Amino acid sequence: MLHQVGVSFDKTASKPPQENPPIRKQTPTPGPWLRSKQEKADLFAERLAEVFTPNDATTDQEISDFLANNLETEESTRLLTSKQIKKEISYLTVRKSPGIDQVSPKMLKELPQKDIVMLTYLFNAILRLLYWHKIAEIILIPKPSKNPSHVSSYRPISLLSTISKLLKKLILPKIDPLLDAIPQHQFGFRHSHSTIQQCHRVVHEINKTFEDKKYCFSVFLDISQAFDKVWHDGLLYKIKLYLPSHFKLFKSYLCQRQFRIRVNGEISNTFPIRSGVPQGRILGPVLYLVYTSDLPTTENTLTGTFADETVMLASHEDPQDCINPPTAPHKPVRSLGNKMENQDKRNQINAGYVYIKKEPMSTNFLQQHINTRITIRQIFRNAYG
């Protein structure tokens, strides 16, 4: 007689304990070692409070006056229905972690109709009173191949409220005018746009330059801590221009936000968020694209962007015309440099440049120089004086 032999696993068995390595406080000189969970939570919170602070905290009086002026006509936001909320709840992913309120997606999926009606009252009250949930809880996970004793070796993950994320998804279809402001050269976080399509666009321009027997000069830009350093007043200025009916709602969404850190059950004090947009797949990316929608462009360059990554290409028969100070026919390039310097005041823009050359009737080769420590301001000053 054959007997079926099986191995059963106890799914309820406790998971192995999480590693809790000590962290050294980073000061001008190596500081003391922090071992308790509370000390680590406070240290992480202090560091992120510095991250969520704008590079340039000076007030722009023109923008402040514009934001302080009352709108001539304020359109009322269309209220939500229980049918819309119930349909959006059905799309929630059950495995997502709950936020500070401990309400999980599974709990929302099991709500009876009566509670969905109450949730509708809550959402519509938020739209009428223009007040948003403003506290985020953050956990930190170690970065691969990084020293776990350094505070900078951990990546922050925000555990946002599931109810708040649900409301963002319901509001997203109402902000179409903001989406219209996103330029055509931006391929990040947009429907029917992908990284490979932007790569094809750039490669096509380079190949076309080679076919025309020209030289190609390219500049690659990367914004340090792009989402964390978004200037709130500058973003609200553009929202008020493009979508005045939702200006007060987004002002409540962005301003006076707070966060706290959780390390293995221990909670830090709350700290203010003075810059940045919440990272995620809903409103945060859209707001960042709106914030960078007026990136300067010229007729003599091709610009391609994917979220915070930017490439600019310029081609000419004479390579010196791409690199040396521009002459009268190329004044837009100098103007582009001045405009980019103004943007660099608010966000640190790291840059590298690649000089691409193809000799006629011979094998092509690439001469490149990448420096990730220079800024766009330095590049234009070195190139154009």
Side-chain angles (χ1 to χ4, degrees), residues 232-295:
H232 284 171
D233 285 353
L235 175 58
L236 290 173
Y237 179 89
K238 296 173 185 178
I239 292 176
K240 193 171 184 179
L241 283 178
Y242 302 138
L243 192 64
S245 61
H246 288 65
F247 167 70
K248 291 185 178 180
L249 180 63
F250 280 107
K251 183 178 180 180
S252 173
Y253 176 68
L254 291 171
C255 299
Q256 299 179 351
R257 295 179 64 87
Q258 294 179 319
F259 76 94
R260 69 185 192 183
I261 301 294
R262 174 161 60 88
V263 176
N264 295 335
E266 295 294 335
I267 304 296
S268 72
N269 296 325
T270 57
F271 286 82
I273 300 177
R274 296 188 176 91
S275 68
V277 293
Q279 298 190 36
R281 295 184 298 175
I282 311 174
L283 285 182
V286 173
L287 294 179
Y288 178 79
L289 299 186
V290 172
Y291 177 65
T292 57
S293 60
D294 57 351
L295 179 73

Side-chain angles (χ1 to χ4, degrees), residues 112-170:
Q113 181 62 31
K114 182 178 180 180
D115 291 333
I116 292 179
V117 173
M118 297 302 297
L119 194 60
T120 307
Y121 292 156
L122 173 64
F123 285 171
N124 288 332
I126 291 174
L127 296 179
R128 288 196 305 268
L129 300 176
L130 305 175
Y131 181 81
W132 206 291
H133 180 75
K134 296 175 179 287
I135 299 181
E137 189 170 273
I138 299 177
I139 61 173
L140 293 109
I141 59 175
K143 298 178 181 178
S145 305
K146 296 291 184 179
N147 189 344
S149 65
H150 292 171
V151 67
S152 59
S153 300
Y154 293 80
R155 179 177 291 108
I157 302 295
S158 297
L159 301 180
L160 301 176
S161 167
T162 305
I163 296 178
S164 179
K165 290 190 288 186
L166 178 63
L167 179 57
K168 294 174 190 176
K169 291 182 179 180
L170 292 166

Side-chain angles (χ1 to χ4, degrees), residues 24 30 60 89 112 114 165 171 295 327 331 340 361:
R24 197 163 196 174
D60 190 310
I89 288 177
K114 182 178 180 180
K165 290 190 288 186
I171 290 178
L295 179 73
T327 55
K331 286 183 179 179
M340 291 298 295
M361 307 300 293

Side-chain angles (χ1 to χ4, degrees), residues 47 51 55 223-230 308 347-348:
R47 178 182 178 274
V51 173
N55 291 323
I223 301 179
S224 300
Q225 300 173 334
F227 283 78
D228 298 332
K229 292 295 185 180
V230 169
D308 62 327
N347 294 82
Q348 184 71 16

